[in-house]
Amino acid sequence: MTTETTRDFGALEKQTQTLMSVFTKASYEAVAPTILQPADVFLDVIGESLRARTYVFTDLDGAELCLRPDLTVPTCRLHLARHADPRTPARYCYSGAAFRFQPQGADAAHPREFHQAGIERYGDTEREAAEAEVVATVVRAIEKTGLKDWSLRLGDLGLFSSILDVAGLSPLWKKRLDDAFLRPLAFRDSLKAFASDTDATRLRVPDTLLSSLKRSDLAASEAAIGAYLEENAIELIGTRTLSDITEHLIGVAEGREEKPLDSTAADLIGRYVGITAPARTAGAKIAELINGAPSGSAAALESYDRRIALLANAGIDLDRVTFAAEFGRTMAYYTGLVFEVRAKSLGPQSPIATGGRYDGLMRAAGASVDVPAVGAAIHTERLMTATLGASS
């Protein structure tokens, strides 16, 4: 081990201790979720883009496992193991390694094995207060390490869902748009394709196969697709299971009878995702957009305004905070607020902290009910790079 490596490791460890000290002083309990996790839980909830980057393997007992690609899901599973009632209020903090394949090549800002320090809290009934507290705690921890030049970017999946309601969409169109929103960089192109009935995401499969697929008989549908794949020597590649493919193709089959997305609805959604504004004024812009709509999104807007006020009360400088309607995150489990903390020296593709609300994740991890949940993780190697850059 070189002297340079030793010094870097020591500095990273010292930084992590600083972060964890801020977390524990804010009443978060330090926990250590296991690195090896059951693959099925992760692959069901993390989303398509991260699913393809997760290291999955089968052990000698035949169990399919993965190296955790983040620490949020493992912390949910730890909470479930501790509490018979998953709605029991709890706060956890952690520090540990996570693992993701980097399709563009690993580098200092995007290593395959990286370190996260984060917080998760469950069971809070005061939703916006919990969200503001999480954001403020993360920012306070980042500043404690010496980085003062940060900015905060907000998104809101709850507001996006309310806009879909305002647009008067069918359940099928809502699902398709929700799915497309997991790919924010391509969402506007998908919206145009939906409105013109040129959806490029539809797979080219025989019409007879699509016609045989029924959501009411998943077993038979899965068997039909399995037989088709076998007959045509098509192998399952990557992390998509036969049940995943079946679910997707049933959606395609159901969508064949659906009319193209209404142009008025597409225009409303397009104008919404085009909103990028200072956090102080974004709520007014959204309210103006939906003014006069047959069904409003007052509750989601009230939640947004309340959250912004609570962030200010928690000491967050709102002059550093922007709202971007198209910001939706690629993690499939987020359900409401999403946010990222950026450092100017690293650019928008390398946020130093990310987080948000994920009320449905506990159910996906094995609970019988949804649980209010919000958290965030700091990418400590990026924070170290940004901190060193700011001090040089």
Side-chain angles (χ1 to χ4, degrees), residues 114-132:
F114 57 96
H115 194 274
Q116 286 186 340
I119 54 177
E120 315 290 344
R121 55 188 294 167
Y122 307 124
D124 294 287
T125 56
E126 298 294 329
R127 296 166 56 89
E128 294 82 11
E131 293 164 358

Side-chain angles (χ1 to χ4, degrees), residues 55-368:
Y55 291 100
V56 180
F57 60 95
T58 303
D59 70 9
L60 295 178
D61 291 329
E64 191 173 40
L65 303 172
C66 70
L67 298 176
R68 61 189 185 197
D70 79 350
L71 276 79
T72 299
V73 177
T75 305
C76 283
R77 297 185 64 244
L78 181 149
H79 180 76
L80 285 176
R82 287 187 173 192
H83 299 286
D85 183 353
R87 294 166 294 190
T88 302
R91 299 183 182 189
Y92 304 109
C93 63
Y94 50 76
S95 170
F99 307 84
R100 298 178 191 174
F101 174 71
Q102 302 295 346
Q104 304 304 319
D107 56 32
H110 305 87
R112 293 185 180 91
E113 177 182 346
F114 57 96
H115 194 274
Q116 286 186 340
I119 54 177
E120 315 290 344
R121 55 188 294 167
Y122 307 124
D124 294 287
T125 56
E126 298 294 329
R127 296 166 56 89
E128 294 82 11
E131 293 164 358
E133 197 276 339
V134 164
V135 173
T137 299
V138 167
V139 169
R140 188 162 60 248
I142 287 171
E143 289 188 330
K144 190 72 171 179
T145 68
L147 182 66
K148 307 298 183 182
D149 184 18
W150 54 266
S151 62
L152 179 64
R153 185 182 188 222
L154 305 178
D156 193 331
L157 297 172
L159 269 174
F160 176 73
S161 181
S162 73
I163 292 295
L164 299 188
D165 289 336
V166 168
L169 302 182
S170 68
L172 178 59
W173 268 121
K174 285 194 66 175
K175 184 180 186 309
R176 294 181 70 185
L177 287 163
D178 277 334
D179 291 345
F181 202 56
L182 289 172
R183 301 178 296 276
L185 295 178
F187 180 76
R188 296 194 198 197
D189 289 339
S190 295
L191 191 62
K192 292 178 182 178
F194 289 154
S196 62
D197 198 27
T198 58
D199 179 9
T201 65
R202 294 182 182 178
L203 299 181
R204 294 184 179 277
V205 296
D207 185 71
T208 52
L209 176 60
L210 287 176
S211 299
S212 71
L213 304 180
K214 306 295 181 185
R215 192 173 297 277
S216 58
D217 194 346
L218 290 176
S221 298
E222 189 169 310
I225 293 171
Y228 173 79
L229 295 176
E230 184 176 354
E231 290 170 3
N232 291 272
I234 300 174
E235 297 182 9
L236 291 175
I237 299 175
T239 55
R240 273 217 160 193
T241 65
L242 183 58
S243 60
D244 291 333
I245 296 172
T246 302
E247 180 69 25
H248 176 72
L249 289 179
I250 287 175
V252 172
E254 292 173 341
R256 291 187 305 164
E257 303 303 321
E258 190 83 10
K259 294 180 179 179
L261 181 63
D262 179 77
S263 60
T264 301
D267 178 66
L268 173 66
I269 297 165
R271 284 186 289 145
Y272 169 74
V273 297
I275 294 176
T276 297
R280 297 179 190 272
T281 61
K285 289 182 177 292
I286 298 167
E288 181 181 356
L289 176 64
I290 64 175
N291 183 37
S295 59
S297 55
L301 278 171
E302 288 173 5
S303 177
Y304 175 86
D305 291 337
R306 187 160 51 248
R307 184 188 302 126
I308 296 302
L310 288 166
L311 285 173
N313 291 340
I316 297 296
D317 180 2
L318 294 185
D319 289 339
R320 301 188 185 197
V321 185
T322 60
F323 173 81
E326 66 181 352
F327 175 37
R329 296 295 310 281
T330 55
M331 289 284 203
Y333 54 68
Y334 284 102
T335 58
L337 166 74
V338 289
F339 69 91
E340 61 184 16
V341 183
R342 295 178 173 181
K344 186 176 181 180
S345 60
L346 295 185
Q349 300 305 315
S350 301
I352 56 177
T354 57
R357 174 164 294 281
Y358 52 94
D359 292 351
L361 183 54
M362 200 71 75
R363 185 191 291 270
S368 59

